[in-house]
Amino acid sequence: MSAAVVTTEDKSGTTGEGPVFAVSNLWKVFGPKADRIPGDSELTALDPAELRERTGCTAAVRDVSFEVNKGEVFVVMGLSGSGKSTLVRCLTRLIEPTSGSLAIDGEDVLAMDKARLRELRRHRAAMVFQHFGLLPHRSVLDNVAYGLEIQGVGRAERRAKALAVVEKVGLEGLEQRRPGQLSGGQQQRVGLARALAVDPEVLLFDEPFSALDPLIRRDMQEEVVRLHREEGRTMVFITHDLSEALKLGDRIALMRDGRVVQLGTPEEIVGSPADDYVRDFVRDVARADVMSVRSAMRPVGEGEDTPGAALAPDAKVAEAIEAVARSGYPVRVMDGKRCLGVVDHAGLLAVVAGTDPARPASAPGEVVA
Amino acid sequence: MATATASTPARDTGIGALLRHRAVGKLLLLAVAAAVLVPIVDARWASGAWPDALTVDLTEPLGKTTDWIIDNRDSHWLFTHFLGHVSNAIVLSVRGVYLVLLAAGWAGVTVGAGLVAWRVAGVRLAVLASSAFAVCGLLGMWVPTMQTLALMIVAVLASVVIGLLLGLAGGLNDRIFRILRPVLDTMQVLPAYAYLLPFALVFGMGVPAAIIATVVYAAPPMARLTALGLRGADGGVMEAVTSLGATGRQRLLSARLPLALKELLLGVNQTIMMALSMAVIASVIGAGGLGDRVYQALSTVDVGQALAAGIPIVLLAVVLDRVTGAAGERAGAPADDRSPLRGRRGWSFAAAVTVVAALAARFADRVDWPVDWVVDIAPSVNTAKEWMVDHIYTGVPVVGGTADWAANFTTWVLNPVRDGLQGLPWWSVLLVVAALAWVIGTWQTALTAVAAMAAIGVLGVWNKSLDTLAQVLAGVAVTLVLGFAIGVAASRSKRLERLLRPVLDVFQTMPQFVYLIPVVALFGIGRAPAVAAAVVYALPAVVRITTQGLRQVDAAAMESSRSLGATSWQQLRQVQLPLARPALMLALNQGVVLVLAVVVIGGLVGGGALGYDVVFGIAQGDLATGLVAGVAIVCLGLMLDRVTQPTARRAKKGA
Ligand SMILES: Nc1ncnc2c1ncn2[C@@H]1O[C@H](COP(=O)(O)OP(=O)(O)OP(=O)(O)O)[C@@H](O)[C@H]1O
Ligand SMILES: [Mg+2]
């Protein structure tokens, strides 16, 4: 066991620019004799209800493959029971996967022994839970320092680190409280601080804000956005809330009955849904806030040269609408000095109405199912 | 003491109807079986009482075993190499603790107890603790109190350690838990009395036997609550701890055990209370201390002396219960920063002050409780008792006297019930037991109950057991009538409940033995006083469970029936009582178990039957008689518990 390898240097890229997590063909089946199910093509073809009836097993994660890149926020979204929690727990083997392969920075997680796995959990991936999972008999500070404590960090050092993190998540002054004396939002800040305190390479969130009321939830989402902007830490974020997924995610994997039905950027998911299920899912999204002007752009026409207003290619459609409405003319999309095209009323309206999905500027979403 | 709670959800009446149907089916099945078996059985062994042909006489083998043990106690390796060491270790540790307590002197103990109470439970309980010890001294019971305290300290420490270990095993391992749980549950319903004899046999009369009997009796609640507490740890917290990379040991020490702290402290509380109750009863096998004083006084019907020794027992019980209970409630709450005794410093401070107090008393030459500070209450209590004998025992106009009541109760209730039971054909008793247990519970409980009852017959103590059973039934009937009446009243009047609560609290903390003192004072000796003591002992639990059960009845159901214009009586009969049925069943079960526990102790005050056989067996060294009676008591306890056990067992009074 080479514990020394697992230090923060790992994070700074000794393994190059490979993915942080690489998951392929991952299965998790609950129930009696679960092992036989992933290999049996007849059983894998069944839908969940039939499978349960035939074998008494539940396939919570079915044949899932994806990669999480360094520094991105990877969101897994799906309805209740779609297998998100199971999937994220498989990443650190809090739940033992049934089959498939799983690597962190190129190292095979499923082959790790107990000690190595503990090192993974201690230093490389820390998790934030929906129901917080705080130790009720410890103060806020001791909860935050808990991860360091079980690593054997000395008392003074871990307190100093914990204090710094407590401040970072905005809990100054509450260090000596018990979790029972905090509001839900504050408790989740403690949960977040506890995960941050061990300075992990990846943060895993399992529906961290579902138990909070909407205003607090927005605060906390902004907190996560801020943290990500400041530290650039890789995050895997589970949610069942589409708007949360669109707001936070660099890429989104949409799960249904244990499978990933579509994986792509928010724009791809909203702009070109892979199937009717996804289309249904994203129907009520305010598309103008998600889609970029690229999707509404057309080439510059003959003799069309509209100086004045210009937009960046990543600007959202909503901004373009405002610009077009103000100028009354088509507006240029400029990438630095280069003009990529223009957007006009017709193009923007088509995007908002969702009637013209055949004009994505980038490649269509990677359709898994 | 932790009170029994009946937290079963109200059940809807539809299930009640179904149950009645199922009950009819079970009874029919039983009737068919009886119709086939009874004629055969009756033809072979026709007799009222249990047929001699079906008994096994254990007198000789048991006598031989006893002789063998007595002969080999000093020579056999089992004793010299194992039990002897255990016994020596116990004697030494009790002696050591006792000497420390004596060396601390009354000043050290009183001050120390106060400070410890202050540290763990606050100022008010500190005052209570110190004054309780002072009263023990005032009553002239300082030395026996210290003897009992020394016994308690050793027994409780051993029980807690053993209970913790068993509980850890059960809490961390499913298979061990499955084996452990029914054993612990069953041990909790057996009367303390039945534990005495086997240990007296193996270790001889004296402190070791008393301590071991106490530990066997008091460790189960600790084990049970530890296991339940560890298993009940919040899965989310445990997962979070695992996700941070904690090792198995870290998970246990930093999460699972602290999360179970409340249960652990409740376990300590129950263990202490059960140990006290047993340490007092164990005076019968030579434990010494306060219990012995009560025992000696009762055997000469010296109520004054018994009371003087009984009051310290009650005070000890109340102090220990309140202090450990309060410590349990405080657990988990953030420390009170204003207390001058907070933190680790508090302990050192308490220790230092205690030593200073002890030394001060020593230099003032006041180590022992000063003789001129003793108030001897025995003569005046006995005078009062004489007055009672003369004035209220008999011949009070209209109401009669207490002795008359006892005599009437014996003549008109106890005797007919006993004669009736003994007159029944033996198989019909088994049949009734089977029917009751099956209708209320499952076929497994019915089978256990019938087997237990049959075992009593086989042991050849059928008639004596039915005598004990008659006392239990009479006691339970009285307890239930009174308990339900008071419970219903308390559930309807907040004021009455508030008045009752402190009374019930104190009553539920007192060791069984103490209840014998007032009933002997009031009723003299005999079977009726034994039953009376049992009723007084069981009543608080029944009242409490009834009140809680009725209170928990869904407010919406009550509201809707009121809106339909139901009278108060209709409400009680048609809504509250049916909905509170599970709680009432629990009250019945508790009542039966608790009444039996005291009825057998009633053997000490003329209750006769099985209880007397146990005392007789111990006193005369006739262990065969005593052991058989002890086993019969266990069987009776099992049978009564199973017959009244509806479904899963619930929280139980730890006394
Ligand atoms: N320990 C288990 N044993 C058996 N089945 C399980 C177990 N854990 C989860 N499942 C099943 O696996 C499926 C996926 O569960 P999972 O908790 O991963 O869903 P989820 O997407 O996180 O849902 P939610 O949004 O409600 O948290 C569900 O059908 C669930 O019933
Ligand atoms: Mg979930």
Side-chain angles (χ1 to χ4, degrees):
Chain A
M1 230 305 313
S2 52
V5 176
V6 193
T7 56
T8 39
E9 277 97 299
D10 260 20
K11 212 166 39 184
S12 56
T14 45
T15 47
E17 287 306 297
V20 179
F21 274 115
V23 177
S24 67
N25 307 107
L26 197 74
W27 281 82
K28 174 64 204 181
V29 184
F30 291 108
K33 287 193 256 160
D35 304 349
R36 74 205 142 115
I37 293 181
D40 187 330
S41 57
E42 187 195 345
L43 291 177
T44 55
L46 298 175
D47 72 31
E50 285 173 342
L51 183 69
R52 188 156 40 241
E53 204 164 294
R54 281 266 297 272
T55 63
C57 291
T58 311
V61 174
R62 308 170 149 235
D63 201 17
V64 167
S65 306
F66 61 85
E67 288 181 349
V68 178
N69 300 320
K70 192 167 292 296
E72 79 172 332
V73 179
F74 185 87
V75 172
V76 179
M77 194 192 59
L79 297 180
S80 185
S82 56
K84 314 175 295 289
S85 297
T86 310
L87 176 62
V88 75
R89 279 165 178 71
C90 282
L91 295 182
T92 54
R93 280 172 60 192
L94 285 174
I95 292 178
E96 203 63 48
T98 310
S99 76
S101 68
L102 168 61
I104 180 166
D105 295 323
E107 183 183 352
D108 187 356
V109 176
L110 300 183
M112 288 181 179
D113 62 8
K114 265 194 170 155
R116 184 81 189 139
L117 190 60
R118 236 177 2 245
E119 288 306 317
L120 162 72
R121 290 176 186 162
R122 287 184 176 183
H123 300 285
R124 295 212 253 172
M127 195 155 165
V128 181
F129 296 88
Q130 178 175 4
H131 297 295
F132 323 136
L134 303 176
L135 290 162
H137 57 281
R138 288 171 167 245
S139 66
V140 166
L141 195 65
D142 287 339
N143 262 293
V144 173
Y146 184 75
L148 298 167
E149 184 182 329
I150 58 181
Q151 291 173 18
V153 176
R155 187 179 159 86
E157 186 186 348
R158 70 176 188 250
R159 293 215 136 200
K161 278 191 179 170
L163 260 177
V165 182
V166 162
E167 245 159 64
K168 191 185 281 179
V169 299
L171 284 174
E172 306 96 326
L174 301 178
E175 294 90 349
Q176 293 312 322
R177 296 255 191 115
R178 299 289 171 106
Q181 301 168 308
L182 299 178
S183 72
Q186 289 167 332
Q187 290 190 42
Q188 195 56 293
R189 281 174 199 265
V190 179
L192 181 59
R194 177 175 65 183
L196 284 174
V198 300
D199 193 22
E201 183 182 354
V202 196
L203 273 177
L204 308 174
F205 295 85
D206 183 15
E207 299 200 29
F209 311 140
S210 305
L212 309 180
D213 52 36
L215 279 180
I216 310 282
R217 189 183 311 173
R218 211 172 56 202
D219 272 1
M220 293 297 288
Q221 286 164 356
E222 258 135 43
E223 190 80 34
V224 168
V225 168
R226 184 175 66 83
L227 275 173
H228 185 247
R229 211 173 34 229
E230 286 173 4
E231 305 187 327
R233 210 183 291 272
T234 313
M235 297 181 179
V236 176
F237 196 103
I238 309 294
T239 176
H240 66 239
D241 176 358
L242 182 62
S243 65
E244 189 168 83
L246 296 173
K247 183 167 180 179
L248 299 175
D250 291 322
R251 286 192 306 144
I252 298 173
L254 211 142
M255 285 186 81
R256 180 194 185 186
D257 291 341
R259 288 184 197 281
V260 173
V261 287
Q262 185 170 6
L263 195 160
T265 61
E267 192 168 353
E268 286 162 3
I269 299 252
V270 173
S272 40
D275 61 11
D276 288 344
Y277 177 76
V278 183
R279 188 165 301 122
D280 219 34
F281 216 96
V282 300
R283 192 169 49 203
D284 296 328
V285 173
R287 299 164 62 85
D289 293 332
V290 178
M291 306 299 288
S292 67
V293 287
R294 282 178 200 274
S295 55
M297 211 166 58
R298 62 172 172 75
V300 185
E302 280 295 308
E304 199 176 23
D305 186 25
T306 49
L311 290 161
D314 289 332
K316 297 292 180 246
V317 166
E319 293 171 53
I321 291 175
E322 199 188 325
V324 171
R326 199 173 306 126
S327 71
Y329 295 105
V331 174
R332 287 173 305 156
V333 178
M334 302 288 286
D335 183 11
K337 293 259 173 268
R338 202 159 57 87
C339 177
L340 299 177
V342 294
V343 285
D344 57 14
H345 294 86
L348 292 170
L349 277 176
V351 171
V352 172
T355 51
D356 191 13
R359 267 211 317 193
S362 52
E366 175 191 347
V367 177
V368 181
Chain B
M1 162 154 322
T3 54
T5 48
S7 56
T8 25
R11 163 203 311 228
D12 73 80
T13 42
I15 298 182
L18 196 81
L19 193 90
R20 243 168 281 135
H21 284 300
R22 279 234 312 277
V24 170
K26 287 175 180 176
L27 284 181
L28 277 179
L29 215 66
L30 203 62
V32 172
V36 178
L37 287 175
V38 166
I40 305 175
V41 166
D42 203 37
R44 277 203 69 174
W45 301 291
S47 75
W50 186 271
D52 288 340
L54 291 182
T55 57
V56 178
D57 188 8
L58 291 178
T59 319
E60 203 175 312
L62 279 179
K64 276 199 181 131
T65 316
T66 316
D67 291 344
W68 183 87
I69 291 178
I70 292 170
D71 289 344
N72 289 285
R73 211 176 260 152
D74 299 323
S75 52
H76 195 269
W77 63 266
L78 182 65
F79 293 96
T80 55
H81 283 93
F82 177 61
L83 298 179
H85 292 306
V86 173
S87 168
N88 284 340
I90 291 172
V91 171
L92 278 180
S93 34
V94 172
R95 208 114 208 100
V97 175
Y98 180 59
L99 288 179
V100 168
L101 288 176
L102 283 193
W106 63 270
V109 171
T110 309
V111 170
L115 287 172
V116 169
W118 195 350
R119 173 68 185 75
V120 301
V123 181
R124 282 182 39 206
L125 286 170
V127 174
L128 178 71
S130 288
S131 31
F133 276 104
V135 171
C136 294
L138 275 179
L139 288 171
M141 287 291 157
W142 187 259
V143 171
T145 304
M146 289 307 107
Q147 285 169 344
T148 297
L149 201 58
L151 280 178
M152 284 284 296
I153 290 175
V154 173
V156 167
L157 282 181
S159 307
V160 166
V161 169
I162 293 175
L164 257 180
L165 291 178
L166 282 176
L168 270 176
L172 301 179
N173 183 309
D174 286 339
R175 185 161 331 144
I176 295 179
F177 184 70
R178 270 199 303 277
I179 299 170
L180 214 53
R181 174 134 201 214
V183 176
L184 295 180
D185 282 351
T186 304
M187 286 178 85
Q188 278 203 301
V189 304
L190 299 184
Y193 214 53
Y195 287 91
L196 296 177
L197 233 133
F199 299 108
L201 173 60
V202 175
F203 289 94
M205 306 273 278
V207 168
I211 292 274
I212 292 184
T214 306
V215 170
V216 171
Y217 183 63
M222 186 72 208
R224 195 163 164 275
L225 282 161
T226 305
L228 290 177
L230 290 179
R231 301 182 78 81
D234 183 339
V237 177
M238 293 313 296
E239 185 176 43
V241 168
T242 311
S243 83
L244 285 164
T247 62
R249 243 175 69 124
Q250 288 173 328
R251 275 206 298 275
L252 179 66
L253 294 180
S254 67
R256 211 178 264 282
L257 276 175
L259 286 175
L261 190 61
K262 265 212 146 73
E263 279 87 353
L264 296 185
L265 287 172
L266 182 61
V268 171
N269 172 284
Q270 293 209 356
T271 292
I272 288 179
M273 299 323 290
M274 294 186 73
L276 179 58
S277 139
M278 191 66 170
V280 174
I281 293 175
S283 58
V284 177
I285 56 170
L290 292 169
D292 194 49
R293 296 297 175 98
V294 176
Y295 180 45
Q296 302 295 350
L298 279 182
S299 60
T300 54
V301 201
D302 181 351
V303 174
Q305 272 302 328
L307 197 64
I311 292 173
I313 297 178
V314 173
L315 288 177
L316 264 189
V318 171
V319 167
L320 287 171
D321 178 50
R322 297 300 177 271
V323 170
T324 50
E329 259 154 45
R330 286 186 160 203
D336 179 8
D337 289 332
R338 282 155 309 157
S339 164
L341 289 177
R342 66 183 173 273
R344 219 155 288 184
R345 243 188 35 223
W347 287 116
S348 2
F349 177 71
V353 173
T354 306
V355 169
V356 168
L359 287 178
R362 179 154 294 256
F363 287 125
D365 210 15
R366 287 276 195 207
V367 176
D368 298 324
W369 185 272
V371 184
D372 44 337
W373 290 7
V374 169
V375 182
D376 189 3
I377 62 164
S380 33
V381 171
N382 280 334
T383 315
K385 198 219 158 201
E386 292 309 322
W387 183 88
M388 276 176 21
V389 172
D390 293 341
H391 292 87
I392 67 167
Y393 265 37
T394 178
V396 180
V398 189
V399 289
T402 53
D404 293 346
W405 295 347
N408 283 336
F409 189 70
T410 310
T411 319
W412 298 109
V413 180
L414 288 177
N415 285 346
V417 174
R418 181 190 64 192
D419 296 343
L421 280 177
Q422 290 177 345
L424 283 177
W426 58 274
W427 46 261
S428 66
V429 174
L430 292 188
L431 217 55
V432 171
V433 167
L436 278 177
W438 202 12
V439 167
I440 295 177
T442 63
W443 64 268
Q444 286 105 324
T445 54
L447 211 61
T448 321
V450 171
M453 204 61 210
I456 289 173
V458 172
L459 287 172
V461 282
W462 184 257
N463 276 336
K464 275 185 186 146
S465 302
L466 289 186
D467 187 359
T468 299
L469 184 60
Q471 295 178 34
V472 172
L473 291 183
V476 168
V478 177
T479 309
L480 289 187
V481 169
L482 289 177
F484 285 169
I486 301 176
V488 167
S491 77
R492 326 206 102 216
S493 150
K494 277 247 188 289
R495 174 124 46 94
L496 182 60
E497 201 196 358
R498 259 205 311 280
L499 279 176
L500 271 178
R501 188 174 300 148
V503 180
L504 294 183
D505 279 346
V506 172
F507 271 56
Q508 278 199 304
T509 10
M510 292 206 280
Q512 305 152 351
F513 209 54
V514 174
Y515 286 85
L516 296 178
I517 302 169
V519 298
V520 167
L522 262 183
F523 302 111
I525 59 171
R527 276 182 288 153
V531 172
V535 169
V536 182
Y537 179 63
L539 204 52
V542 171
V543 169
R544 186 156 263 167
I545 299 172
T546 309
T547 313
Q548 278 179 0
L550 291 176
R551 275 273 156 84
Q552 272 169 9
V553 166
D554 191 9
M558 291 291 291
E559 184 119 63
S560 68
S561 82
R562 204 172 311 134
S563 76
L564 289 172
T567 62
S568 177
W569 169 243
Q570 281 172 329
Q571 252 180 45
L572 179 67
R573 211 167 46 92
Q574 296 172 348
V575 183
Q576 276 188 304
L577 287 182
L579 287 183
R581 213 184 94 128
L584 299 186
M585 284 302 301
L586 179 66
L588 170 66
N589 179 269
Q590 291 286 294
V592 168
V593 168
L594 299 177
V595 166
L596 174 69
V598 174
V599 159
V600 293
I601 296 178
L604 292 175
V605 293
L610 294 177
Y612 176 71
D613 272 8
V614 174
V615 195
F616 174 82
I618 295 170
Q620 303 296 314
D622 177 2
L623 293 175
T625 309
L627 264 186
V628 167
V631 174
I633 291 174
V634 168
C635 290
L636 213 53
L638 263 183
M639 185 276 284
L640 286 169
D641 176 58
R642 295 303 133 100
V643 162
T644 52
Q645 190 180 85
T647 38
R649 178 177 305 286
R650 275 165 232 112
K652 146 152 184 47
K653 172 177 175 172

